[in-house]
Amino acid sequence: MEHVSTAIAPVLDVARIREDFPLLQQAKVFGQPVVYFDNGATTQKPQIVLDTLEQYYKNYNSNVHRGVHQLSQQATEAYEQSRRTVAAYLNARHSHEIIFTKGTTDGINLVASSFGRKFLQAGDVVIISAMEHHSNIVPWQMICEEKGAELKVVPINERGELLMDEYRRMLDERVKIVSVTYVSNTLGSINPVKEIIELAHARNIPVLLDAAQAVQHISIDVQALDPDFLAFSGHKIYGPTGIGVLYGKEEWLNKMPPYQGGGDMIKTVTFAKTIYNELPYKFEAGTPHMAGAIGLEAAIKYLQQVGLDNIRHYEEQLQAYALQSLEQVEGLRFIGQAAHRAGAISFLVDEIHPYDLGELLDKQGIAVRTGHHCTEPLMDLFKIPGTVRASLSFYNTFEEVDKLVAGVKRAAAMLR
Amino acid sequence: MTINEKQDELIADFSLMEEWMDKYEYIIQLGKELPLIDAQYKTDDNLIKGCQSRVWLHTELKDGKLYFTGDSDAVITKGLISLMIAALSGHTPKDIATSDIYFIDAIGLSSHLSPTRSNGLLSMLKQMKMYAVAYMAKLNN
């Protein structure tokens, strides 16, 4: 009954891997098989994830943590098993350090709101970086405004790398939390998060990592890396939409008030207290996304089967080839040229509007993203309206990169 | 030529091209021929909201007829402005305000353009009609 992946470690047979993804086999765009390079926005789903969702709804759909009946227990067991799988994937100490959320945005909002309410005061500082997605800017702006705290931004160089000396200088006793992205969704830069965390921890400052663009490319060990919080989205790691994960260290999560439901209510409602006071349920108010969590587990197991190190190895080769091939296009310039990178490749050609380029790529069956990628301050920094972004996955092929390059050339010739 | 005759002509032009890349080639060509807005009118007031790219539109009344000029930072968008201007420019405010614009659907633009671009096109049409309605009111006073 269960679909077994045809991918065999350690060799990455991309043709076989693509067979696991129905959309890659079926989807046609303007009569051509889709060349999908919008993986930074969302990834396609392997058959095993689709099968798992279907089996859940067909065979044991039931509300978790509530019923005495068999189905509810089965659903609860599957939901909690997913939590354990995620915990193992990140090498968390405890599975109750895994909070299921709606996605990365939800996870960051949870920390900003809950941590902020408890630990931020007027005059305090929150540090983010210049390359953050809006979802790691706005929640902090909101809580800073409420608390009279200040939001400080670590600058970057023209290659899209954080200025670590500036970061060091910014760390003082006013800083209460650092929240930065592991991998930039626009520039593809991999930030030196280990160093960022060590420097903050030397001053007892906790760090949140936005791992939305990292967790599908790089193997993460939260005990070795030691972030205090880490958030990611299921749909960007080949799982369902609407499910996400917030990892938080037990000691922090225990100190933080619930995000939804409200702390005041817990004091007066005895029954609520028993539910919310315990990790991880304290942060999972309401019926959770059971199917999503179970589907996410299937996606993670699939990745583990293919092997994240194999994925990383192949994606690095593909990325090097893509960078090298795109560089040959006349008038093309990369936005973001960090030494260490993963996922996204942003570029512009001459003065051509990224929107025009993206639209003509679409008509050739090539899916890329155009615009500011929810990083408007970053676009302002580069003084551009946006970029064309091709974001790679391990199911993309070298031939697809060739199609992208040919597509860009053709579109650019038309638009010049 | 009436607005409808112009629309039918545009539909006929586009029907000659089978490939969407060819249609785009044509739209881009039209963009390059767009009657450009005078620099003094390229202001925030003349910016149309609802486009991923920026669009400016200016209207002038001459001998009872409305003439449009425009510009955009994106070439395909310029082509779309050019299409709208080809259909609507040089007609009375009343004809423009009461016109039934069917060529966008007939060409297949609304289903083939990206949704944001398609919304932008509708914003543009709405804006042109609003200008026409405003001039109608002005002329009646």
Side-chain angles (χ1 to χ4, degrees), chain A residues 30 351-353 355-357 359-364 370-372 385 407 410-411 413-416, chain B residues 20-22 24-25 28 32 51-54 73-77 111-118:
Chain A
F30 298 104
E351 297 308 308
I352 295 170
H353 200 284
Y355 197 19
D356 285 339
L357 207 50
E359 185 136 357
L360 292 186
L361 286 173
D362 175 48
K363 296 300 167 296
Q364 299 174 77
T370 67
H372 53 58
R410 184 174 177 198
M414 283 170 68
L415 291 163
R416 272 197 189 100
Chain B
W20 266 91
M21 286 300 271
D22 295 334
Y24 270 90
E25 195 108 48
I28 291 162
K32 289 172 182 165
C51 305
Q52 194 177 335
S53 48
R54 298 196 291 170
D73 49 356
V75 178
I76 294 174
T77 310
S111 54
H112 280 82
L113 288 175
S114 62
T116 41
R117 188 96 77 179
S118 176

Side-chain angles (χ1 to χ4, degrees), chain A residues 96-400:
Chain A
H96 58 250
E97 293 178 318
I98 302 300
I99 312 292
F100 284 121
T101 62
K102 288 187 288 182
T104 311
T105 301
D106 192 31
I108 297 173
N109 272 280
L110 189 161
V111 177
S113 168
S114 172
F115 179 95
R117 258 188 292 152
K118 177 95 180 223
F119 295 107
L120 279 185
Q121 288 172 3
D124 286 345
V125 169
V126 172
I127 290 182
I128 59 169
S129 89
M131 64 175 84
E132 299 309 319
H133 188 283
H134 293 164
S135 62
N136 198 27
I137 301 174
V138 184
W140 297 111
Q141 279 176 333
M142 286 161 67
I143 193 71
C144 281
E145 194 175 340
E146 196 182 313
K147 291 288 185 172
E150 195 187 336
L151 190 65
K152 286 193 174 179
V153 182
V154 184
I156 57 173
N157 63 21
E158 70 285 350
R159 295 171 62 81
E161 296 161 331
L162 291 179
L163 298 180
M164 291 299 284
D165 286 342
E166 294 289 328
Y167 171 62
R168 267 186 212 97
R169 270 195 284 276
M170 289 163 77
L171 290 170
D172 59 29
E173 66 287 346
R174 290 170 61 209
V175 179
K176 290 296 176 293
I177 190 164
V178 174
S179 187
V180 290
T181 192
Y182 194 151
V183 175
S184 160
N185 71 306
T186 302
L187 307 173
S189 323
I190 301 177
N191 288 322
V193 287
K194 179 105 177 106
E195 197 185 343
I196 289 170
I197 293 166
E198 280 169 3
L199 287 166
H201 283 180
R203 291 178 168 271
N204 294 318
I205 302 164
V207 176
L208 182 152
L209 286 187
D210 170 353
Q213 301 291 341
V215 76
Q216 65 281 58
H217 301 298
I218 304 166
S219 137
I220 294 176
D221 178 335
V222 290
Q223 292 191 57
L225 196 58
D226 208 26
D228 300 273
F229 304 98
L230 180 142
F232 70 89
S233 301
H235 72 97
K236 292 192 203 288
I237 182 171
Y238 311 99
T241 56
I243 186 76
V245 167
L246 172 71
Y247 158 81
K249 279 184 186 165
E250 183 183 38
E251 52 185 293
W252 281 116
L253 293 178
N254 272 332
K255 281 185 223 164
M256 284 157 51
Y259 173 44
Q260 290 176 330
D264 291 341
M265 192 175 68
I266 289 171
K267 282 178 192 157
T268 54
V269 184
T270 318
F271 184 62
K273 185 174 178 173
T274 53
I275 291 180
Y276 292 123
N277 233 1
E278 218 177 87
L279 284 179
Y281 314 115
K282 177 171 123 181
F283 291 107
E284 290 181 6
T287 295
H289 188 3
M290 286 104 55
I294 294 164
L296 173 61
E297 184 194 28
I300 286 176
K301 281 184 161 173
Y302 176 81
L303 286 192
Q304 285 172 326
Q305 202 177 349
V306 179
L308 212 65
D309 290 338
N310 296 329
I311 289 173
R312 179 83 191 117
H313 184 64
Y314 175 76
E315 286 181 350
E316 275 179 342
Q317 289 177 330
L318 189 70
Q319 175 182 284
Y321 180 69
L323 288 170
Q324 190 192 323
S325 308
L326 283 166
E327 205 170 27
Q328 310 301 319
V329 178
E330 199 195 321
L332 185 142
R333 66 184 194 279
F334 294 110
I335 308 300
Q337 299 184 74
H340 302 284
R341 58 186 305 163
I345 298 176
S346 265
F347 60 88
L348 288 172
V349 181
D350 293 334
E351 297 308 308
I352 295 170
H353 200 284
Y355 197 19
D356 285 339
L357 207 50
E359 185 136 357
L360 292 186
L361 286 173
D362 175 48
K363 296 300 167 296
Q364 299 174 77
I366 302 163
V368 294
R369 201 161 192 82
T370 67
H372 53 58
H373 318 296
C374 295
T375 54
E376 273 188 66
L378 187 62
M379 297 296 95
D380 293 343
L381 214 61
F382 280 99
K383 296 187 176 63
I384 50 177
T387 73
V388 178
R389 183 189 74 178
S391 43
L392 317 182
S393 158
F394 67 99
Y395 51 53
N396 289 126
T397 66
F398 285 66
E399 292 74 35
E400 285 183 315

Side-chain angles (χ1 to χ4, degrees), chain B residues 56-67:
Chain B
W56 293 270
L57 198 67
H58 177 65
T59 323
E60 227 170 321
L61 188 72
K62 254 190 295 188
D63 306 328
K65 286 173 180 168
L66 275 188
Y67 293 87

